[in-house]
Each structure stands twice: as C-alpha cells, then as structure tokens.
Amino acid sequence: MKRLGLCLLCCLLLCAGCMKEEPESATTFCADTVVTITAFDATAEQLRALLAACAGYDAVFSKTVEGSDVWRINHADGAPVKVDAAVIEALQTAQRVAALSGGAFDVTVAPASALWDFTGGTALLPDAAALSAAMQRVDYTRICIEGDAVTLPAGMQIDLGGVAKGYIADETIRLCRESGVAHAILNMGGNVAVAGAKPDGSGWRVGIQDPADPYGKSALTLETDHGSVVTSGIYNRGFELDGVRYHHILDTKSGYPVQNELASVTILSDDGALADALSTACMAMGLQKGMAMLDAVPEAEGIFILRDGTIHHTDGAANAIKADG
C-alpha cells in the first residue's frame, strides 16, 4: 500500500494546481458503500487516482477477499501474520477504543456478526445456540500485535469494518494534501472527510441524517474545513420484527443488536479512524456512558440523536453546528 500511495502521489502531483469555479467530482463503490470525492483544484484524472487508492486500501482491509491481510489473520489458525502498516495502525486504534469503552467496541465480534443478515431483506433472527457459541470467541484482549505481525487465537475472527472506512478516508485526504489538492471533500456513506475549506474560505456543509427520515431531510447541518465527520445509526442496515428494530450495531456481550435510547451518534475528529470506532462505541454504550467516554478523548467531539428526536452534544461540537441546520 505504501508503494501504491507513492505512485498515485506522483501521478497526482503532475496535474495539481488547477482551480475551477465549479468543483469536479468522481464516484466509485468500495468498502460496501458509494464513495464520492469532490474538489475545486483537481482534475478528473486526479480524482480517479484517489478513488483507486480507496479501493486499494479496501482490498487490504476486506474480511471476505481471499488473501487480504484481514482474511489471512482470520485463517492463520493461531499463527502470527505479517500485515501492512495500515492494518496495524487501524487495529491499534480499534484496540484503544475497545479499552476506552470497556469492550463495547470489539472487532472480534465478527463470528456473531456473520450470523446476522441486515441487508438481505428477510427479517430473521439467528439460531440462539449458534449465536451463543459465537460469542464465546469474542474477546479483543486476546489479539496480539507485535511489530508488523498480528496473532489471533484459532477460531476467532476480526472485522475491521468499524474502523477501516475512517482510516481509508484519512489516507485519501492525506494524499489530497500531499498532491496539492487543498479544497476537497470525501464522502464514504456515513464517513465524511475534508481537506481544507472551499476556495472562498467557507467550510463544507455536512448534513446529519434525521434517523426518523433516513431518505429525506437532515436533522442538523455541520460546517467544517478540516477533519472527519462520522455517523453511526440504527436506520440504514437492519429490519423490523415484532415491533423491534434489529440493526447492525451489536451488543458485544449478547451478540444481539444494541437496544438503547440512541438513534445515531456523530463524531467529529481530525482522526477519521478514531471517529469511526468512537461512533460505534458510543452507539453501543448509550447517551450517558458515551458522553462520559468522550470526556476522556480530547481530540473528538460528539452529537447524539435519541430515538425521540432529542439532540445532545459535547461542548466542542457546538462550534460546527449551523444555526440554520
């Protein structure tokens, strides 16, 4: 990935420097979502190169692509696996948030996640005995990271989906800056990352989805010229069954979807991978515990939307919220 990044950077530098009145955009599909990058000072070729970088990192982090770093960790049968530096860095962030949240965020929940189907359109619960057995293999403290090697006990699995998109967004924005692209925004579904303000000095506006109207209006609008804005919620991937909303954010103690007062959590941070993991952790912990955890993370701010539509936020998040949002 480092060599790929260097080649892409050289390509980008050759065509940097042009400023347009209207921004240029490019779109692809990777990391299980639509990815769009928009910039005022980049060509279509540059944007395609940046999206290629996204796809390259996605291949490294994929749990299902045979031969990827994560796939090799999960199939090593307890042996150490040497991996790309990107995987080490993302995993270290995941482990930090796991410790901060008391395990509410845990990448080893993968065996339980695999038993749920939140996108197939069928409202079915997994077999209770199989889910209970899967939960016996969930324990982030058993992951061993030594240098560039990761060791996972046989039978356990990891899924870096809760941190990888944030990491990929960070790296893409880094490539933007290093190539001279200073006015860009990257949208990866619930992950948004920004490289600088717009040419007129104003920030980029980011709408935070109204959980009660996921395909319509925004609950509020943020404005930012740097960092990442990452949202996790119960409204996209999931299904209704007997009056209960079953969604993709699992309780790492039971293996069932978290049931608390929260509908979504948005995290603002210059560290996209950290924001990604924290948004999921806060969703799992609930309002009070989530807010308390963020007190211990000075580089992140949070916005919490409850199921009844009430909005709470940390003090630092207030600066980004637009009054007309």
Side-chain angles (χ1 to χ4, degrees):
M1 282 308 303
K2 299 298 184 183
R3 288 193 295 271
L4 172 62
L6 179 60
C7 291
L8 287 168
L9 179 57
C10 291
C11 173
L12 292 169
L13 284 170
L14 290 175
C15 48
C18 53
M19 185 73 70
K20 302 178 178 65
E21 291 185 5
E22 296 297 327
E24 185 90 32
S25 292
T27 299
T28 191
F29 187 88
C30 73
D32 292 325
T33 192
V34 175
V35 181
T36 300
I37 186 166
T38 301
F40 282 91
D41 50 348
T43 66
E45 183 180 0
Q46 283 179 286
L47 297 183
R48 286 194 295 270
L50 288 165
L51 291 180
C54 287
Y57 277 107
D58 182 39
V60 171
F61 285 114
S62 174
K63 182 172 69 76
T64 57
V65 173
E66 186 171 347
S68 76
D69 283 6
V70 171
W71 187 93
R72 291 189 300 111
I73 292 170
N74 288 341
H75 292 81
D77 209 20
V81 177
K82 288 190 175 183
V83 297
D84 191 274
V87 174
I88 296 295
E89 291 167 13
L91 192 50
Q92 287 172 335
T93 296
Q95 292 296 81
R96 176 190 174 191
V97 175
L100 283 169
S101 66
F105 180 82
D106 189 334
V107 297
T108 67
V109 78
S113 298
L115 298 176
W116 290 89
D117 182 2
F118 296 113
T119 59
T122 303
L124 288 176
L125 302 182
D127 177 77
L131 186 59
S132 178
M135 292 307 296
Q136 301 305 309
R137 294 176 280 157
V138 177
D139 184 356
Y140 75 93
T141 66
R142 300 186 69 190
I143 299 173
C144 179
I145 305 172
E146 292 184 330
D148 62 354
V150 177
T151 305
L152 191 67
M156 292 180 66
Q157 292 187 0
I158 62 170
D159 184 344
L160 296 184
V163 68
K165 283 201 298 182
Y167 184 91
I168 294 169
D170 277 349
E171 289 300 294
T172 304
I173 291 301
R174 178 183 61 79
L175 283 173
C176 280
R177 294 196 186 98
E178 292 181 1
S179 63
V181 178
H183 310 282
I185 184 169
L186 176 72
N187 190 332
M188 299 183 70
N191 293 60
V192 174
V194 171
K198 294 180 180 179
D200 64 4
S202 65
W204 299 87
R205 292 203 166 199
V206 180
I208 304 304
Q209 191 63 58
D210 181 352
D213 188 15
Y215 302 104
K217 65 178 182 179
S218 297
L220 52 86
T221 301
L222 308 181
E223 186 171 305
T224 183
D225 61 5
H226 68 282
S228 288
V229 179
V230 182
T231 300
S232 292
I234 67 173
Y235 48 85
N236 277 338
R237 289 188 290 160
F239 57 84
E240 303 280 342
L241 182 63
D242 297 329
V244 178
R245 176 67 180 173
Y246 292 89
H247 54 85
H248 71 287
I249 301 172
L250 300 186
D251 183 329
T252 57
K253 303 301 181 186
S254 70
Y256 286 89
V258 168
Q259 301 296 339
N260 58 32
E261 75 276 36
L262 293 177
S264 75
V265 174
T266 297
I267 301 295
L268 297 81
S269 177
D270 285 337
D271 186 332
L274 178 64
D276 206 353
L278 285 173
S279 67
T280 302
C282 287
M283 277 296 305
M285 297 173 76
L287 176 62
Q288 292 186 346
K289 290 182 178 179
M291 290 277 280
M293 178 180 63
L294 289 183
D295 286 341
V297 188
E299 65 268 46
E301 303 292 343
I303 300 170
F304 297 71
I305 301 181
L306 276 58
R307 296 193 189 209
D308 65 6
T310 305
I311 299 175
H312 298 260
H313 59 77
T314 58
D315 291 341
N319 296 328
I321 298 173
K322 299 303 294 180
D324 61 349

